[in-house]
Amino acid sequence: MIFLTLYRLNKRLWGTVRSLESLQPYANPRNSYPVPNENTNGFIFAKIFGGFEKIRSSICDLVTISRLLNATLVIPEIQESTRSKQISYKFKSFSYLYDEEQFIASLKNDVNIVKSLPEHLKAARRSYEFPIFKPKNSASPNFYIKEILPNLKKAKVVGLIITEGGCLQSILPPSMSEFQRLRCRVAFHALQFRSEIQTLGRQMVERLRAWGQPFLSYHPGLVRDTLAYHGCAELFQDVHTELIQYRRAQMIRQGIVSDELNVDSHLQRENGSCPLMPEEVGLLLRAMGYPSKTIIYLAGSQTFGGQRLLIPLRAMFANLVDRTSLCSKTELSDLVGPETPLPSDIFQLPRPKSESEIKEEWSRAGPRPRPLPPPPERRIYPHEKEGWYGWITETDKEPNPSPRDLRMQAHRLLWDALDYIISVEADAFFPGFNNDGSGWPDFSGLVMGQRLYERASSRTYRPDRKTIAALFDITRGNMYHPKHDWTLSVKEHLNKSLSEEGLIRQLLLSKPNSFLSHPLPECSCRISSLELTKQTEGKDGRVLYGDEHECPIWMQSAEAVGVRNDDVESAEDDNDVVEQQERNGPDFTTSLTSTIDHDEEWDPND
């Protein structure tokens, strides 16, 4: 009985979601879809600003727009890499992150793509003779047809500057469902990382698997811009609060934020607008029953607040690893490639004042009697300069990025790519922040979208941060030893977030902002099943879930359907054998958990 319960406990923590097993990836064209004509209306040349998630989303939109306008797409420039000073000569802008040849070959039946403009048009580009547009985020197809297409036909070249992570609206009319499927083919098939990134990413997954147990990927979502946009400064302390407020003031001046500078961060947290803190995520995972030896991969190239915020999570889960734990410095430097060395960023002390300068200042010090001169300033040592934000103690204006900062921004694209590979392959994924309402694509949303596309039944948590905040407010004074009813409430909410209920909630909230976060129903099909799926409609009346086509016959196989034995446990069903034992008798639970993990700390109230 003990071994059977252990098996079912493991299935409850890592098993697939049975109600979503009928969804299968299928982004092939469904209707008449002609191959693009070589005689196009002209060339589209684009520059993409922003980090990993904005780049990935923008490329998918650019391909779709090129198909819409019957244009030839020039491989877009990734400004995060071109702005960097002297990155490796082995890579161009796009190839620094993605495989150009794979990208062109995979989309040959969808859109014409070239690596550069023809020679007779390059001079016009250098002298900016062709029109350049900066489309707004989520621009409608009509904007491109009425505004861009006439200029494209006339000038034969049009430049686009993409800054907000997307240039085409997420939800397209039903008549444009093939364009939605094209987005999926770009994101999930054509956009493959260059071979060195893929190889190292697979090696990292293998090293995690070598531990002999499943692993969970967690992305905190603690990004400075996001925190500033939503006004979450008061959740941090000291200099980090000032940095967030400084960035928020910038956003207000730029018109990105229309709210006031100072907002109640705790109220924002209660509304679900702020990320879950790592300590809270650790408590949620522990309430779900994950033992302290669970392997958790920390994704994200940067976590605002630093390692200090991760201390409580590491205390609860000792096997918290990241890319630096799985890769050697040599492997990471090989991924970057040979780079020209930058001047060493040596900390320079202020120049000492001469005796004559001191006397001159004293003579200009104002009317007598004068106070004694101040004592000499305490010497500032290099270790007291706290990273890139040391400027805030010296000046009121943030300095422009240094060459080293620009190079690190380019490197973060590579680290995010590695984390993306691992997060998609993980046995479970937990987002600290997604679906924030800003309209920008986010890392967790893209991961959740690809996991939903490739294997909808994979264990992907979709917590409602507003509900989670209310749960924590109940037990704020006793977070590490909550009552048993609180633990059951957490389990119930997170298990529901895995299933159709959580998926539909995310569809209603996220799809209007990011199609790639929830590519349903256009990019999936359903295998024939006796189970009837209730259709869910959005605010515009379109069916967002339950309207998937039936999969073709060749997909109706045992491999696609999976084993459907009666003893396969539903991951979203919390009323399993273990839960029944917890409700009926605490003694059995205590003996069971001690068998699983002797070091696990359990609720004394159970």
Side-chain angles (χ1 to χ4, degrees), residues 428-486:
F429 179 74
F430 197 103
F433 194 62
N434 72 299
N435 179 36
D436 63 349
S438 65
W440 303 328
D442 60 87
F443 183 94
S444 292
L446 294 181
V447 169
M448 295 166 73
Q450 182 144 355
R451 289 172 65 89
L452 177 62
Y453 172 77
E454 292 185 356
R455 192 184 181 199
S457 60
S458 61
R459 200 170 188 86
T460 304
Y461 290 96
R462 306 175 185 90
D464 182 346
R465 292 188 299 277
K466 186 175 182 179
T467 301
I468 295 297
L471 287 171
F472 274 114
D473 286 342
I474 294 173
T475 186
R476 183 61 61 181
N478 201 22
M479 291 173 55
Y480 280 82
H481 297 291
K483 295 185 180 297
H484 187 62
D485 290 343
W486 185 88

Side-chain angles (χ1 to χ4, degrees), residues 54 222-231 247 250-251 257 304 440:
K54 290 186 178 180
L222 295 168
V223 182
R224 185 185 176 198
D225 281 3
T226 304
L227 295 166
Y229 182 89
H230 293 285
R247 182 69 183 112
Q250 284 183 319
M251 290 182 169
V257 174
F304 189 80
W440 303 328

Side-chain angles (χ1 to χ4, degrees), residues 10-16 214-216 290 294-295 427-428 459:
N10 187 62
K11 293 292 290 183
R12 185 171 62 87
L13 293 177
W14 303 104
T16 60
F215 72 93
L216 179 144
Y290 287 96
T294 301
I295 301 172
D427 299 284
R459 200 170 188 86

Side-chain angles (χ1 to χ4, degrees), residues 218 220 222 278 298 303 306-315 320:
Y218 160 57
L222 295 168
L298 181 67
T303 299
Q307 293 294 318
R308 180 176 60 180
L309 288 182
L310 300 172
I311 291 175
L313 181 60
R314 290 187 186 276
L320 180 66

Side-chain angles (χ1 to χ4, degrees), residues 215-253:
F215 72 93
L216 179 144
S217 178
Y218 160 57
H219 186 267
L222 295 168
V223 182
R224 185 185 176 198
D225 281 3
T226 304
L227 295 166
Y229 182 89
H230 293 285
C232 304
E234 295 174 359
L235 302 183
F236 295 81
Q237 296 177 354
D238 307 327
V239 69
H240 295 96
T241 297
E242 296 183 46
L243 288 166
I244 293 173
Q245 288 296 82
Y246 182 92
R247 182 69 183 112
R248 182 172 175 85
Q250 284 183 319
M251 290 182 169
I252 292 174
R253 289 194 297 269

Side-chain angles (χ1 to χ4, degrees), residues 481-507:
H481 297 291
K483 295 185 180 297
H484 187 62
D485 290 343
W486 185 88
T487 301
L488 293 180
S489 298
V490 170
K491 288 182 179 181
E492 180 182 8
H493 173 71
L494 292 181
N495 281 325
K496 286 182 178 179
S497 77
L498 292 167
S499 62
E500 288 180 324
E501 182 175 332
L503 177 62
I504 291 172
R505 175 187 167 275
Q506 285 295 317
L507 282 170

Side-chain angles (χ1 to χ4, degrees), residues 33-103:
Y33 195 79
V35 176
N37 194 327
E38 293 185 0
N39 298 322
T40 61
N41 291 323
F43 295 86
I44 291 180
F45 175 83
K47 293 183 178 182
I48 303 175
F49 290 83
F52 175 86
E53 54 278 350
K54 290 186 178 180
I55 291 169
R56 194 170 184 87
S57 179
S58 298
I59 292 173
C60 298
D61 287 353
L62 285 171
V63 173
T64 307
I65 292 167
S66 299
R67 174 78 188 192
L68 177 66
L69 303 182
N70 186 29
T72 299
L73 176 64
V74 181
I75 292 286
E77 284 189 3
I78 298 174
Q79 298 302 298
E80 205 78 354
S81 59
T82 57
R83 291 171 63 216
S84 176
K85 303 301 181 183
Q86 299 170 333
I87 63 171
S88 177
Y89 60 86
K90 293 175 59 178
F91 312 109
K92 294 181 180 179
S93 169
F94 187 88
S95 62
Y96 187 69
L97 191 57
Y98 294 110
D99 187 338
E100 281 189 357
E101 302 298 335
Q102 163 72 18
F103 182 69

